[in-house]
Amino acid sequence: MKRPALSLTLIVVLLASATASNAQQRAMTVMDLINVPGMSGGQLSPDGRQILYTITRPDWKGNKTVSHIWRINADGSGNVQMTNGTEGEGGPKWAPDGKRFAFSARRAGAETGQLYLMPNDGGEAAQLTTHTTSVGQFAWSPDGSLIYFSAAEGKTPDEQAKDKSKDDVYQFDENYKMSHLWRVTVADKKEARLTRGDYTVRSFDLSRDGRQIVMTEAPNPLLDSGEEGEIWTIDATGENAKRITNNKMPEGGPELSPDRSQILFTAGANAKGDGYYNSKLFVVPAAGGATKLLTPDFPYEIRNATWSKDGKAIYFFANMGVHTELFRFDVASGKADQLTKGEHVVRGEYVPERDAFMLSIGDPGNPGEIYLMAASETMPHQVTHQFDDLIKDYRLPKTEVVHWKGADGVTVEGILYYPLEYTAGQKVPLMVQTHGGPQAADQLSWVGAHDYVQVLAAKGYAVLKPNYRGSTGYGDAFLRDMVGQYFKNAHKDVMAGVDYLVARGIADPERMAAMGWSAGGHMTNKLITFT
C-alpha cells in the first residue's frame, strides 16, 4: 500500500527538479554567443596520457580574441591552463619525448610571431626562434633535435624605406610575400634555410622517419593560384628537390606513405584532372609517375586524409551532407568503411604513434568536445567537458533534418531550427539562411554569432538552412549542377524547401526573410527577385 505513495512522491520531486532546471535556463543573446569559447588544436602526447589544446575567448577590453594552451589527462582529469600571454598562444605540438612542447606566439610589443618551448612540468616558456617574419606551420623532427617551419620572406631594403616614409600605396593583390621552408636546431637556436626561389610553399609535411619533406609549391600565395600548385619533394636537408606532379589539380594535404614510396593527397577533381568535383583521394609514386584516383565512386567529400600506421589503409573524414564521419579506406581492396555514425560533425586527426584518433565531435548543442578512440575500437571516449554548461544554462532550439523534392524531382536536404516557444500547428515567421561557397554544406554543428540561429529562435523565428544544388557531400552530379549555369536549380531548391515548410503548416508565407554570406548573399539577391 505504501508503494503508490512513494512513486507519487518521486514524481513530484522529479517534476520540481525539472521545473527548477527550466527556470534556470534562458534564451541566448548575441553577447552570449560571442562569449562561448572556441576549442581547437588538440594533440595527444607521445605516451598517450595527456592532451594539449587551445581555448579562445573574447577579450572585450582589448577588442580581440585571445587563445591560450591547456593540458588535460586522457582520462579527463587534471585540466590546467599552461600559458597566459596577453596576446595569446596557439598550435601546441609535443616534442617526441613528451617532456616539453612547442607553440607559436606573438608576445606583447613584438611585431612577429615566433616559436617558444615550454616544459611539460611547468615553468616559463623560452623563445626558440628570432626569425625576421612570423613563423607559420611547423613540425618536430622524430628525434626532437630540429623543428621545421615555414615563414614569409622579409621586406626588402626598398620596402623598408617606403614604410619609413609612409609610402604605403600598392597595386591590389601585389603586396604578397612568398613563403619558404626553414629549420631551427633546438639546442643552439641556429636557423637554416631549406628552400628559395620565385615560388611559395603553401604547405609541407615531414615524413614519419624525418628524412624527406613533401610540399605544395605555387607561383604565389594568392587564392586564385591554388590550381597552379604542384607537389614537390626534398630531402630534410633541403637537397634533391624534385617535382612530382604536373597538372591543374588543387592538391591538398600531401603526405608520404610510411615507407616513402607513395604520396597521398586530396583534390576536388576527377581522374582526368578536371576541377570542381567533391574532394577525392589520390596517390602518386614518390619517385614520380602517373597519378591514381582511389575513390572514383565515393559519393561524399573527403577531408584530412592520412596513412595508417602500416600504410595499408587511409583514414579520412567525409562530409556526408548535414553530418561528417570518420572512414577507413583499405588500399588493397578499395573498400571504405564508416567508423562513426550520428547527427554530429566529427573532425580531428589520426595519431600513428598510438594507432589512435584524436577527435572533436560537435552538434547543434555543442561546439565540439575532445574524444579519443583507438583504431581497434568502435566507440570514442569523451575527454573534455568544456561545453556542459551550454545546455544547463541556455534554452537551445530544437533541430530537425528535413528533406523535400526540388523542382526537377531531386531530393534536397536541409536543417530546420524551431522557435524556442514553438507549438505544433503554429505558423511562425521563417528565416532562410543560405551557406556560402557554394562548394560547402550546412551541417549539424554549433552555429555561433556568425548566423545567430539561437537568437533568431528566441525571437520566434524558424530557421531553414538548405543544402541546395551546388552543395558538397551529395555526389558530383548534385555539386556540378551549377557548372556553366549558376542559377539553374539552386534557387528553386531553396524555394521548394520554403514551400515544403509552408505546406507543413510551420512557415507563415506572409512573414519570411532571407540572408546569407558570400555565395549565400548571391542566393539572397536571387531569391528576393525571383519570388
Side-chain angles (χ1 to χ4, degrees):
M1 296 296 293
K2 293 181 180 179
R3 293 178 65 184
L6 178 62
S7 298
L8 181 59
T9 301
L10 179 59
I11 291 172
V12 171
V13 170
L14 290 174
L15 286 174
S17 175
T19 302
S21 176
N22 290 336
Q24 292 172 356
Q25 291 179 317
R26 61 181 177 85
M28 295 195 83
T29 66
V30 171
M31 296 290 284
D32 292 328
L33 279 173
I34 295 174
N35 279 322
V36 173
M39 185 163 65
S40 61
Q43 198 193 38
L44 188 64
S45 63
D47 62 7
R49 295 181 178 180
Q50 294 179 314
I51 296 167
L52 292 173
Y53 65 98
T54 60
I55 291 290
T56 303
R57 299 182 187 277
D59 174 3
W60 290 98
K61 195 171 184 179
N63 193 29
K64 60 187 177 182
T65 58
V66 178
S67 300
H68 293 304
I69 299 168
W70 289 67
R71 187 191 66 202
I72 190 170
N73 294 329
D75 63 4
S77 65
N79 197 28
V80 61
Q81 184 174 335
M82 300 294 289
T83 62
N84 196 32
T86 57
E87 300 301 315
E89 306 83 17
K93 295 184 185 296
W94 291 100
D97 61 7
K99 294 181 179 179
R100 55 186 168 176
F101 60 90
F103 63 88
S104 58
R106 182 174 67 84
R107 292 310 191 195
E111 294 185 357
T112 60
Q114 301 296 328
L115 292 180
Y116 290 78
L117 297 177
M118 173 172 277
N120 189 35
D121 56 4
E124 290 293 327
Q127 186 171 340
L128 176 63
T129 60
T130 53
H131 203 69
T132 54
T133 60
S134 293
V135 172
Q137 179 187 354
F138 68 93
W140 286 90
S141 65
D143 63 3
S145 64
L146 302 166
I147 293 181
Y148 297 83
F149 65 91
S150 62
E153 299 279 50
K155 291 184 178 181
T156 64
D158 182 56
E159 290 170 332
Q160 293 175 2
K162 285 185 176 183
D163 284 348
K164 191 173 182 179
S165 63
K166 301 190 183 302
D167 181 10
D168 57 357
V169 177
Y170 59 87
Q171 187 172 335
F172 177 71
D173 264 358
E174 292 297 326
N175 66 327
Y176 60 78
K177 288 292 183 180
M178 304 296 194
S179 288
H180 282 280
L181 294 186
W182 298 71
R183 72 181 185 192
V184 58
T185 305
V186 175
D188 59 16
K189 303 182 181 181
K190 290 184 178 179
E191 297 181 8
R193 183 166 185 156
L194 301 182
T195 65
R196 65 178 67 246
D198 191 24
Y199 62 89
T200 192
V201 176
R202 284 181 172 259
S203 67
F204 76 93
D205 188 72
L206 183 67
S207 64
R208 292 179 186 174
D209 62 7
R211 297 173 58 185
Q212 203 169 25
I213 295 171
V214 59
M215 58 189 180
T216 53
E217 294 182 7
N220 57 63
L222 299 179
L223 181 64
D224 289 343
S225 296
E227 292 186 358
E228 299 180 61
E230 302 294 350
I231 295 177
W232 287 68
T233 59
I234 58 170
D235 292 344
T237 59
E239 301 171 317
N240 300 318
K242 181 175 183 178
R243 181 172 178 168
I244 304 300
T245 62
N246 185 16
N247 54 54
K248 293 298 182 182
M249 293 185 189
E251 298 98 344
E255 181 183 298
L256 283 154
S257 59
D259 63 2
R260 293 190 289 114
S261 65
Q262 295 188 89
I263 298 171
L264 166 71
F265 66 93
T266 60
N270 63 7
K272 297 179 182 180
D274 301 323
Y276 215 87
Y277 286 80
N278 280 281
S279 185
K280 307 180 190 305
L281 289 183
F282 292 83
V283 290
V284 62
T291 297
K292 180 182 179 181
L293 171 59
L294 296 181
T295 54
D297 302 318
F298 191 74
Y300 310 116
E301 179 191 31
I302 293 175
R303 302 169 175 171
N304 299 346
T306 186
W307 293 98
S308 65
K309 186 175 182 178
D310 59 11
K312 295 180 179 180
I314 297 168
Y315 295 109
F316 61 83
F317 298 90
N319 162 18
M320 303 173 69
V322 297
H323 61 120
T324 296
E325 307 292 351
L326 174 64
F327 279 75
R328 180 187 186 277
F329 178 83
D330 184 79
V331 177
S333 67
K335 181 183 178 184
D337 293 317
Q338 185 175 335
L339 303 183
T340 60
K341 185 178 181 180
E343 292 192 343
H344 55 214
V345 171
V346 183
R347 301 184 179 92
E349 64 178 18
Y350 171 69
V351 185
E353 296 83 1
R354 307 298 306 174
D355 197 21
F357 303 100
M358 181 87 164
L359 304 175
S360 170
I361 303 179
D363 57 45
N366 191 305
E369 301 283 7
I370 292 176
Y371 288 72
L372 288 176
M373 185 175 79
S376 59
E377 295 178 321
T378 59
M379 186 66 65
H381 310 286
Q382 186 171 349
V383 178
T384 63
H385 291 270
Q386 179 69 40
F387 304 107
D388 285 357
D389 288 344
L390 280 178
I391 295 180
K392 186 188 341 179
D393 295 341
Y394 299 107
R395 297 174 59 204
L396 302 177
K398 171 189 171 185
T399 61
E400 178 186 346
V401 178
V402 290
H403 302 87
W404 61 90
K405 296 291 185 181
D408 58 352
V410 170
T411 299
V412 183
E413 186 175 53
I415 305 173
L416 174 64
Y417 298 79
Y418 285 88
L420 295 187
E421 303 293 344
Y422 181 73
T423 302
Q426 175 188 11
K427 289 185 178 180
V428 298
L430 176 68
M431 175 65 77
V432 178
Q433 291 188 345
T434 44
H435 65 71
Q439 278 186 284
D442 276 315
Q443 297 196 299
L444 291 161
S445 58
W446 176 257
V447 180
H450 184 273
D451 287 344
Y452 48 90
V453 165
Q454 300 87 344
V455 178
L456 289 169
K459 299 292 185 182
Y461 283 86
V463 180
L464 175 65
K465 288 179 168 287
N467 284 335
Y468 51 86
R469 221 76 58 94
S471 300
T472 51
Y474 297 97
D476 291 331
F478 195 94
L479 169 68
R480 291 178 58 80
D481 186 80
M482 275 190 169
V483 176
Q485 48 198 9
Y486 196 90
F487 285 117
K488 177 187 177 184
N489 284 307
H491 62 298
K492 296 177 183 177
D493 289 346
V494 178
M495 291 305 304
V498 172
D499 291 341
Y500 164 75
L501 294 182
V502 170
R504 281 185 58 181
I506 297 173
D508 183 344
E510 301 301 321
R511 294 184 293 168
M512 296 192 295
M515 63 178 286
W517 299 91
S518 191
H522 303 164
M523 177 67 76
T524 300
N525 292 335
K526 178 68 175 179
L527 292 175
I528 62 176
T529 60
F530 179 73
T531 175

